[in-house]
Amino acid sequence: MQELINAQFNLVGLIGNPIKHSLSPLLHNYLFNMLNIKAVYLAFPVENHFLERAVQGLVALNAKGFNVTIPYKESIIPFLNKLDDLAKDVGAVNTVVIDQGTSIGYNTDVSGFLKSLKKNGFDPKDKVTAVIGTGGAARAAIIGLLHAGSSQVHIIGRNIDKAQQIFDIYANSHANKLKVIEIDKTASVFEQCALIVNATPIGMYGYLEKSMPLSEEYIPNQCLIYDMVYNPLETVLLKKAKSKGCQVINGLDMLIYQGADAFKLWTGIEPPIDLIYDFLKKHVTI
Ligand code: NAP
């Protein structure tokens, strides 16, 4: 039987707005329970003007840490005491560890993305790649690919200014490996790519779910197509790519590994990936 919460339980949280849709409380409470860890995970919807006080409050309450989601992954940074190198490089935080009154920001979207590529047998080293999108998930993929040795990462966005902003942020360390491409000038770029990542919500349930972030004729035959969307597990993009003979990856593996990495940061315990996979498959599939 599940142990009732008592005074020995630690607090882990999620801050963002809105957060009602988040699977993280279900997932982490399930893992705490299965692995007999005395902790509870709660979701806190936080208004923008309370963000700093919410962080200070969680530190003051001696919480173990928390996840950060939309829209605070970037704006939370000034309110944290330290940043892990990868989070610093991305300029975004999705996991915070609180250690003896010090808050430390991490980005497990990057590690989750890279682990999902490894699990599927893809090594970005010396490969030409493309990332469609210019939001937080795109930044995690771009930095991940650069860290993993991709020879060229094309940043593809409908808003060229946003793509250029990402280029400018990473230009100091990686300028020669980055290229900004407008979304309607991509045909010749995709032909050179070993990996194309969709980091937009296009294809997700409730958001252009019958659409694709690139035209079918631009999907190269010999390419890995990665869709960060996990709801549905097979988007129209992945269906079409498969029918062209491409290898495909959906967003579930990244979701699993970023959650597992956050869990390990708070507890020091590596949760069994199979346990997370079975749990999420039940809750994510539509
Ligand atoms: P975000 O910060 O809101 O960024 C979304 C990006 O998609 C922006 O660049 C946006 O362009 C672009 N976009 C939206 N609609 C578009 C359209 N119709 N045509 C072209 N571009 C469009 O969101 P995010 O956090 O990066 O997340 C992006 C997707 O990745 C979501 O579906 C999210 O669920 C998924 N994700 C999955 C995982 C995972 O673990 N599998 C992790 C993180 C995110 P503008 O800036 O011009 O609006």
Side-chain angles (χ1 to χ4, degrees):
M1 202 179 83
Q2 188 171 351
E3 190 180 359
L4 289 177
I5 296 167
N6 60 42
Q8 290 159 31
F9 273 58
N10 285 307
L11 173 65
V12 182
L14 166 68
I15 62 180
N17 200 9
I19 48 169
K20 278 201 178 128
H21 65 282
S22 174
L23 284 175
S24 297
L26 269 180
L27 170 66
H28 289 291
N29 285 318
Y30 171 76
L31 291 175
F32 292 147
N33 187 32
M34 294 300 282
L35 302 173
N36 285 320
I37 293 170
K38 288 183 189 304
V40 60
Y41 187 112
L42 294 175
F44 301 108
V46 173
E47 295 293 336
N48 190 36
H49 60 282
F50 279 135
L51 182 59
E52 181 172 11
R53 275 192 271 174
V55 174
Q56 287 169 347
L58 286 163
V59 173
L61 292 172
N62 203 22
K64 275 276 165 203
F66 53 95
N67 279 132
V68 185
T69 188
I70 288 170
Y72 300 132
K73 287 185 182 184
E74 292 154 43
S75 54
I76 196 156
I77 289 176
F79 307 132
L80 300 175
N81 299 118
K82 284 187 193 167
L83 273 192
D84 161 74
D85 284 347
L86 214 47
K88 204 180 286 171
D89 228 0
V90 185
V93 162
N94 77 331
T95 303
V96 175
V97 172
I98 298 170
D99 184 21
Q100 297 179 13
T102 300
S103 54
I104 309 155
Y106 294 85
N107 192 311
T108 68
D109 283 337
V110 181
S111 54
F113 173 70
L114 288 177
K115 285 182 182 178
S116 70
L117 286 178
K118 192 169 180 198
K119 181 203 159 194
N120 288 279
F122 183 85
D123 181 357
K125 192 160 173 42
D126 300 328
K127 308 246 171 58
V128 176
T129 57
V131 177
I132 309 171
T134 51
R139 279 163 66 152
I142 291 163
I143 280 297
L145 290 169
L146 291 168
H147 275 248
S150 186
S151 55
Q152 181 104 74
V153 183
H154 294 97
I155 311 170
I156 297 168
R158 65 175 170 182
N159 179 336
I160 198 77
D161 292 339
K162 271 186 139 186
Q164 189 59 45
Q165 270 172 25
I166 296 183
F167 178 91
D168 293 344
I169 293 169
Y170 304 144
N172 271 348
S173 37
H174 309 285
N176 59 341
K177 293 189 172 174
L178 283 172
K179 233 183 201 165
V180 172
I181 312 282
E182 279 179 69
I183 207 154
D184 52 355
K185 297 196 176 129
T186 48
S188 59
V189 169
F190 288 140
E191 276 166 25
Q192 314 157 27
C193 289
L195 166 71
I196 299 171
V197 180
N198 174 35
T200 77
I202 299 171
M204 191 172 83
Y205 273 109
Y207 187 83
L208 301 173
E209 59 195 68
K210 299 272 182 281
S211 302
M212 301 202 293
L214 68 158
S215 308
E216 187 176 354
E217 71 263 29
Y218 293 169
I219 301 175
N221 295 321
Q222 301 286 321
C223 186
L224 171 60
I225 304 289
Y226 189 124
D227 200 333
M228 285 198 183
V229 172
Y230 51 80
N231 232 338
L233 291 172
E234 188 171 76
T235 55
V236 177
L237 171 65
L238 294 192
K239 222 174 265 172
K240 299 280 184 202
K242 254 186 184 171
S243 72
K244 283 196 152 189
C246 296
Q247 191 194 340
V248 301
I249 303 178
N250 64 32
L252 187 61
D253 284 335
M254 177 172 171
L255 187 68
I256 290 169
Y257 285 112
Q258 62 81 23
D261 286 355
F263 189 90
K264 188 172 177 204
L265 283 167
W266 298 317
T267 63
I269 292 167
E270 198 132 13
I273 293 299
D274 290 351
L275 204 61
I276 305 180
Y277 184 79
D278 290 345
F279 177 83
L280 284 179
K281 264 224 133 165
K282 267 187 230 141
H283 289 85
V284 156
T285 315
I286 293 184

